[in-house]
Amino acid sequence: MANIMIQQGASGGLVFYLPKRDLEASIESIEFDTPEKWGGELKLDNGGTYFIDPIAKPARLPISLRAKRLGAAED
Amino acid sequence: MTTLSREETDALIAEVLEVYPEKAKKDRTKHLAVNDQTIEQSKKCITSNRKSLPGVMTIRGCAYAGSKGVVWGPIKDMIHISHGPVGCGQYSRAGRRNYYVGTTGVDTFGTMNFTSDFQEKDIVFGGDKKLAKLIEEIEELFPLNKGISVQSECPIGLIGDDIESVSKKAAKAIDKPVVPVRCEGFRGVSQSLGHHIANDAIRDWVLDKRDGQPFEGTPYDVAIIGDYNIGGDAWATRIILEEMGLRVVSQWSGDGTIAEMMNSPRVKLNLLHCYRSMNYISRHMEEKYGIPYIEYNFFGPTKIIESLRKIAAFFDDSIKEKTEAVIARYQPMMDAIIAKYRPRLEGKKVMLYVGGLRPRHVIGAYEDLGMEVIGTGYEFGHNDDYDRTIKEMGDATLLYDDVTGFELEEFVKKLKPDMVGSGIKEKYIFQKMGIPLRQMHSWDYSGPYHGYDGFAIFARDMDIALSSPVFGNLVPPWKKAAEEVKKAA
Ligand code: SF4
């Protein structure tokens, strides 16, 4: 588990940030994206995948969350 | 002066790397790249923020340098203790030219060096008592200090001193913030981690200390983040922002105070200049306090105007109008500078190798003068820095990350730029090779370079360096004569 931050990107999409490794990547897909259920599997544009426990869609971004790494980014 | 095609640049990289052993070659290849503007993600072409290869000459610093030297050091009304042996602080003392207003030694302490001067017995028995005593003495000798930060040097982490508990106790005793910073030099691969650690320390020990206290805000409050006032940069920036009708609540951290930092969570917008060293705290403020941040660039009129409009877009029409008025007012001054210097500098080529933001930020300023940047690189940049750089640089130009002394020399020999912009460690090597160098860390003891006022100085300085007659006299007269004879024959 790692602390991550999800932000609104300038171009509209979501941006994933992993402070520990100072890794910034845009989120290509998010498993659940409804007002009640938001989160699940995150696919990043660098090939990595992470999982965040689904929560109600946050009213405001950025938000810090705990995420589990499913697949490492190719480096 | 040469412009290379993509293949030629590739060949150049391969040629320079030829001398390395197989393993080193493989590692260094990843850090050198030919710019391709079509790439969205820099990590497809360049690797950054990795451990430097043992045995090569790297120009990087340590985490302590990133925290004490860059982020904390310029906070002028605090005393920053270099906790550990005397050298780390003493040899870097006052080297960074972050100007400030105040009486040094009375209410400001920027250029002074405070150290716990570790001796053998402190390493063996621990230095916590010494630190406590030191803080007491500081309080007695410099009662006008507004707080103390403890910047750990390598040994502190190695012997496992508990600076946090000493700091907490001392903070209670003197009733001022005492901030322990775990920025031991061995952490991370470069000064970059030191920036991060310093940001985290500000977040945990400083930022929220005035939450809930009354504050008379205006809708136009902003904070300048990541401007260290090198040669007065932050002042040149502040003038413009104030003319736009904004109120600058705090400067992080050039000429800044701890009170300003504590007031920052009340601003409406954070203006982030050095993204590398202070994006962490900006992100935190965005999340916790809902303060958006924007990156801006105050080098050269093109980028200044772009940035001013971007900033003004966050505010109401009165600010937008004033911004346009500011742009219009300075335009004749900019036109005059460009008319004067552009004909002298047009077409000249520059190679840069600097720290965290200038390798991309100053490109616009050079272009305003008709000059071209043919190679650039960061000492300690990360992927997100290169993402931003790719778009600024021309196609097929050279990118080098954590370049070694050897590589940079070879690149310069082959590409023959008219000028190199880098630091003091490179300066005399290249000048002896006959290529003028301007220090782009300390502005070569000149500055400011930010803002409209800064551009005037920037243009003049570049002209001084390039037009200096000394570089035409590198060959002694007796050898010159021989050469001419040879040519004639
Ligand atoms: S690496 Fe350690 S010993 Fe060297 S300057 Fe940095 S803190 Fe001091």
Side-chain angles (χ1 to χ4, degrees):
Chain A
M1 294 291 260
N3 282 319
I4 60 142
M5 187 186 258
I6 293 178
Q7 297 165 277
Q8 195 70 55
S11 51
L14 296 174
V15 177
F16 174 95
Y17 178 63
L18 177 62
K20 186 140 188 136
R21 289 187 50 215
D22 210 23
L23 177 129
E24 206 178 31
S26 42
I27 297 176
E28 277 184 340
S29 70
I30 179 163
E31 194 177 352
F32 307 109
D33 193 10
T34 57
E36 311 83 56
K37 199 175 180 197
W38 182 87
E41 200 175 308
L42 307 174
K43 282 208 172 58
L44 308 183
D45 63 347
N46 63 11
T49 40
Y50 283 81
F51 180 83
I52 52 172
D53 284 330
I55 49 167
K57 191 166 186 156
R60 201 183 64 166
L61 290 176
I63 182 169
S64 285
L65 296 162
R66 304 274 294 165
K68 199 156 71 209
R69 191 169 75 178
L70 300 177
E74 91 272 11
D75 218 332
Chain B
M1 201 160 72
T2 31
T3 318
L4 300 183
S5 70
R6 176 168 300 279
E7 291 71 39
E8 283 169 319
T9 318
D10 268 327
L12 170 67
I13 294 177
E15 189 191 326
V16 169
L17 289 177
E18 209 41 60
V19 297
Y20 286 136
E22 206 44 52
K23 219 173 136 204
K25 193 158 118 190
K26 201 168 142 229
D27 182 89
R28 286 302 307 160
T29 314
K30 295 186 217 147
H31 294 265
L32 306 172
V34 187
N35 192 31
D36 180 351
Q37 285 183 321
T38 57
I39 292 185
E40 284 295 326
Q41 280 185 299
S42 60
K43 65 180 187 38
K44 298 230 165 76
C45 67
I46 197 161
T47 308
S48 54
N49 198 29
R50 290 285 183 282
K51 194 171 168 297
S52 305
L53 211 58
V56 302
M57 285 255 274
T58 170
I59 292 137
R60 284 174 161 175
C62 68
Y64 159 83
S67 175
K68 157 70 170 49
V70 176
V71 176
W72 281 97
I75 305 172
K76 60 179 178 178
D77 60 353
M78 285 181 85
I79 287 177
H80 311 286
I81 302 172
S82 297
H83 190 37
V86 64
C88 313
Q90 184 58 25
Y91 292 119
S92 61
R93 173 184 173 189
R96 222 161 140 266
R97 299 179 66 245
N98 3 54
Y99 286 1
Y100 57 89
V101 187
T103 311
T104 305
V106 179
D107 58 357
T108 48
F109 310 93
T111 48
M112 295 172 80
N113 178 33
F114 295 84
T115 176
S116 45
D117 186 21
F118 262 39
Q119 303 296 322
E120 210 171 328
K121 77 170 198 313
D122 302 311
I123 303 282
V124 176
F125 298 109
D128 285 346
K129 283 210 188 84
K130 197 169 192 180
L131 179 63
K133 178 114 197 298
L134 173 64
I135 294 175
E136 247 171 61
E137 278 177 18
I138 284 179
E139 190 54 24
E140 203 179 310
L141 291 170
F142 304 98
L144 292 184
N145 79 72
K146 295 278 160 42
I148 291 168
S149 78
V150 182
Q151 309 282 336
S152 322
E153 295 164 6
C154 286
I156 307 308
L158 296 173
I159 63 176
D161 270 9
D162 189 0
I163 57 169
E164 283 83 2
S165 83
V166 178
S167 301
K168 271 190 199 136
K169 247 188 241 150
K172 249 193 223 115
I174 65 172
D175 197 22
K176 282 176 192 173
V178 179
V179 184
V181 189
R182 282 279 174 194
C183 56
E184 287 91 349
F186 56 75
R187 292 183 200 275
V189 299
S190 66
Q191 53 267 64
S192 184
L193 189 70
H195 304 145
H196 199 158
I197 294 169
N199 275 231
D200 288 355
I202 294 176
R203 178 194 68 198
D204 296 341
W205 297 81
V206 177
L207 199 63
D208 56 0
K209 293 291 173 280
R210 288 200 183 176
D211 285 9
Q213 284 183 24
F215 177 79
E216 255 178 63
T218 73
Y220 307 120
D221 290 354
V222 295
I224 301 177
I225 306 234
D227 190 325
Y228 300 104
N229 206 25
I230 310 293
D233 279 343
W235 295 331
T237 301
R238 192 181 176 121
I239 289 172
I240 307 177
L241 296 175
E242 284 177 350
E243 283 177 8
M244 279 168 72
L246 302 176
R247 186 172 81 145
V248 179
V249 172
S250 55
Q251 283 175 217
W252 293 58
S253 53
D255 195 30
T257 62
I258 186 163
E260 290 177 24
M261 296 197 139
M262 289 176 179
N263 279 332
S264 297
R266 275 65 171 262
V267 302
K268 297 290 175 291
L269 180 66
N270 278 327
L271 305 175
L272 181 57
H273 204 250
C274 178
Y275 171 85
R276 180 72 276 128
S277 61
M278 285 207 172
N279 73 74
Y280 317 102
I281 199 77
S282 310
R283 285 176 207 273
H284 172 72
M285 282 198 256
E286 185 177 26
E287 178 173 14
K288 184 161 178 202
Y289 300 100
I291 306 168
Y293 68 87
I294 52 170
E295 294 169 48
Y296 70 106
N297 178 354
F298 267 7
F299 287 104
T302 313
K303 291 287 172 192
I304 296 175
I305 293 171
E306 218 173 84
S307 300
L308 289 181
R309 295 211 167 111
K310 201 160 109 187
I311 296 168
F314 269 84
F315 295 96
D316 58 22
D317 286 343
S318 76
I319 298 288
K320 284 184 196 128
E321 270 161 39
K322 275 187 216 151
T323 305
E324 290 307 320
V326 170
I327 294 172
R329 186 161 65 245
Y330 282 104
Q331 199 53 48
M333 176 180 151
M334 291 298 107
D335 291 342
I337 292 166
I338 291 174
K340 180 170 175 194
Y341 291 108
R342 194 168 173 131
R344 301 168 63 91
L345 302 174
E346 185 92 53
K348 299 275 192 220
K349 306 231 188 296
V350 191
M351 278 173 78
L352 298 172
Y353 179 59
V354 216
L357 87 154
R358 289 162 187 168
R360 67 168 177 277
H361 267 43
V362 297
I363 296 172
Y366 280 113
E367 283 172 355
D368 284 333
L369 291 172
M371 298 166 76
E372 196 190 330
V373 180
I374 56 171
T376 195
Y378 297 83
E379 275 175 37
F380 51 84
H382 298 203
N383 276 337
D384 39 5
D385 292 303
Y386 286 98
D387 286 345
R388 292 164 169 78
T389 312
I390 289 174
K391 303 284 163 222
E392 301 278 338
M393 285 291 283
D395 231 10
T397 49
L398 197 57
L399 295 178
Y400 30 80
D401 176 65
D402 184 25
V403 75
T404 69
F406 166 75
E407 288 160 20
L408 189 59
E409 261 181 61
E410 289 303 306
F411 287 146
V412 168
K413 274 186 208 154
K414 298 280 158 39
L415 290 173
K416 298 195 182 57
D418 299 286
M419 173 188 234
V420 179
S422 194
I424 188 70
K425 293 178 220 121
E426 294 80 35
K427 184 172 174 99
Y428 297 102
I429 300 170
F430 292 122
Q431 298 210 144
K432 284 175 186 172
M433 279 163 63
I435 298 166
L437 186 144
R438 283 300 298 188
Q439 288 182 58
M440 297 308 281
H441 294 274
S442 68
W443 305 147
D444 245 325
Y445 323 113
S446 173
Y449 283 180
H450 290 183
Y452 285 117
D453 295 320
F455 182 67
I457 299 165
F458 175 81
R460 183 205 63 188
D461 284 356
M462 296 307 133
D463 183 40
I464 287 177
L466 276 167
S467 311
S468 167
V470 73
F471 294 103
N473 290 322
L474 284 172
V475 185
W478 61 94
K479 283 200 179 150
K480 224 184 239 164
E483 254 171 40
E484 264 153 34
V485 171
K486 227 192 272 163
K487 247 185 235 156

